Amino acid sequence: MDFRGGDDRIMTAIGIMPAPGLVQGKRRPAIDVARGLALVAMAAYHGSWDATYFGLAGFDLLGDPLWLAARTAILSSFLLLAGIGLVLATRDGLDPARFVRRLARVAAGAGAVSAASYILFPDSPIFFGVLHHIAVASVVGLAFVRLPAALTLAAAAAAVLIGTTQSFPLFDSPWLRWIGLTTVAPDSNDFVPLLPWIGGVLAGIGLGRLWPGLGEGTEIAGPAGRLLALAGRHSLAVYLLHQPLLFGIAWAAAQLMPVDTPAVRDFQASCVASCERAGVASATCTANCRCVQSELARNGAWEGFVANRLSEREQRGLEAAVAVCRKP
């Protein structure tokens, strides 16, 4: 991202990007630090997902209430900061040209994420993830930045309520799924539909209107604080780069070291015992079971297998893994 000439501008973020419509003023380091902390939490979550994907860990990210709550909290923090940033960036008026340039950067980042996901996960691509959501929500949010805070907060609550309680078959259409209200969640590695999640952006706008001095007068001291603030200022770049880096590290670790987690050990013991009961030699059973676990991890089905929630695609992956590993 190009921040030249921006030392005296409020380069607050629409979630994980510099906000459109930047105006003259001083930065608010506390907002940058908050965004940096959200990035750290997000990286920890993604690192856990990568470790589970490659069979290095057995986190139940899809079913454990604590993991689900962590995902909700991390994502909500980004969207809340998006709304606050939009208020700060437009408090003295909107610069349309700057808004469009920043919006284009987020849209380009969203496109890059989708393209990479279609290559890596063709059966569960990211077609409307957090960047896609922020791009759309930043446009919708402009309609609220001058409205009374109470009205915007009420709209935020309504968005969350409707998005979490209502569903209609109409919105299962591939062209409408991004809105939310689907009866069946689409198979995607990062799905952040407009409803209910725009409630987080609207809540941030409402808070920004209620508390216009948010983050003012705070000086950041110490290397950790300065590093977090730096990450917060360049959050789009951090977002786009961190996951390929973590994914690559997890992949390399899975290639270099034997996978030995409680989930893997339980699977191996159960698989070998079942195989031996069928009259197969112990050494053959051990080799075949290790092969099946490796194939499940390679195909991205291990997480669903551990959680006992294999999708139709993952079930086919399991059957394919068993077939491959049984070949002499």
Side-chain angles (χ1 to χ4, degrees):
M1 292 181 289
D2 184 4
F3 292 135
R4 289 172 294 180
D7 290 342
D8 295 326
R9 294 183 181 276
I10 301 178
M11 291 182 288
T12 51
I14 291 185
I16 49 179
M17 67 168 285
L22 302 179
V23 294
Q24 296 292 336
K26 293 183 178 180
R27 291 198 62 85
R28 299 194 181 184
I31 301 296
D32 289 332
V33 170
R35 197 174 302 111
L37 287 170
L39 286 166
V40 170
M42 176 193 63
Y45 181 89
H46 284 166
S48 300
W49 188 94
D50 295 337
T52 302
Y53 178 85
F54 285 108
L56 298 169
F59 301 122
D60 186 5
L61 302 176
L62 302 177
D64 188 324
L66 291 178
W67 278 110
L68 293 174
R71 178 185 183 271
T72 299
I74 294 167
L75 181 53
S76 296
S77 69
F78 277 113
L79 300 180
L80 191 74
L81 288 166
I84 293 171
L86 191 59
V87 172
L88 294 176
T90 58
R91 60 181 180 175
D92 294 330
L94 174 70
D95 181 340
R98 189 174 292 274
F99 180 90
V100 170
R101 286 197 298 272
R102 287 341 188 251
L103 185 64
R105 290 180 181 177
V106 173
V113 168
S114 288
S117 72
Y118 272 97
I119 295 171
L120 292 171
F121 314 107
D123 294 321
S124 55
I126 299 172
F127 63 91
F128 201 82
V130 63
L131 285 181
H132 306 72
H133 181 101
I134 287 173
V136 173
S138 65
V139 176
V140 175
L142 289 179
F144 290 86
V145 293
R146 291 292 178 265
L147 295 181
L151 180 60
T152 302
L153 291 172
V160 173
L161 180 63
I162 293 171
T164 55
T165 63
Q166 303 299 310
S167 61
F168 305 94
L170 171 67
F171 293 95
D172 292 334
S173 163
W175 301 105
L176 298 177
R177 288 181 298 182
W178 63 275
I179 298 174
L181 307 182
T182 57
T183 61
V184 178
D187 194 359
S188 175
N189 282 314
D190 183 26
F191 183 49
V192 188
L194 200 63
L195 294 171
W197 292 105
I198 198 172
V201 176
L202 296 179
I205 293 174
L207 290 177
R209 295 280 288 163
L210 280 175
W211 191 2
L214 181 65
E216 283 185 340
T218 302
E219 295 296 329
I220 305 304
R226 288 192 292 271
L227 184 61
L228 287 172
L230 178 65
R233 288 196 297 272
H234 300 277
S235 49
L236 179 59
V238 173
Y239 180 85
L240 292 175
L241 293 175
H242 88 281
Q243 179 61 330
L245 178 62
L246 293 175
F247 195 81
I249 292 172
W251 176 86
Q255 309 310 307
L256 296 174
M257 66 179 66
V259 176
D260 185 23
T261 66
V264 171
R265 291 195 295 271
D266 290 346
F267 168 78
Q268 293 287 349
S270 175
C271 178
V272 170
S274 177
C275 178
E276 290 177 342
R277 284 196 296 270
V280 182
S282 178
T284 301
C285 289
T286 299
N288 286 351
C289 290
R290 286 177 178 169
C291 175
V292 170
Q293 192 278 325
S294 296
E295 285 293 308
L296 287 174
R298 186 179 66 83
N299 294 330
W302 178 249
E303 181 182 354
F305 180 84
V306 170
N308 197 27
R309 280 186 296 277
L310 286 175
S311 66
E312 184 178 344
R313 174 185 63 84
E314 291 170 334
Q315 184 62 45
R316 293 196 302 269
L318 173 60
E319 294 168 359
V322 171
V324 167
C325 294
R326 279 181 176 174
K327 290 181 179 179

